[in-house]
Amino acid sequence: MDIQQSEQIVKEQLHEALSHLAVAINHSILLVQADEKSKKIVGHDWESFLGDFFSQVREKGKVSRINLMSLISFPRMR
């Protein structure tokens, strides 16, 4: 697999992940709007997800010696 194919796979996977996150965000909002008591559960689910995500980035970074977070310019994000 060449570099362009790999770059395309990364773009496609990130786009798909963003699509799944949009669905999860919308359902989270609907759930909390329908039942205020679900805030705690929804919050816990998001904390768990984000914790797992950052943990994976950190661990893979240690193994590969590539810090993906350092590749991101947070001020330029919009």
Side-chain angles (χ1 to χ4, degrees), residues 12 51 54 74:
E12 289 171 2
F54 284 112
F74 286 96

Side-chain angles (χ1 to χ4, degrees), residues 36-76:
E36 279 283 317
K37 294 175 186 171
S38 64
K39 273 185 178 180
K40 194 172 189 174
I41 294 168
V42 171
H44 180 266
D45 290 342
W46 278 99
E47 285 174 4
S48 179
F49 167 75
L50 291 171
D52 289 347
F53 171 74
F54 284 112
S55 196
Q56 283 187 40
V57 170
R58 225 176 297 124
E59 288 304 312
K60 297 283 183 176
K62 286 180 186 176
V63 171
S64 66
R65 294 187 165 176
I66 297 173
N67 180 358
L68 291 175
M69 298 306 280
S70 72
L71 304 177
I72 301 168
S73 173
F74 286 96
R76 286 194 309 218

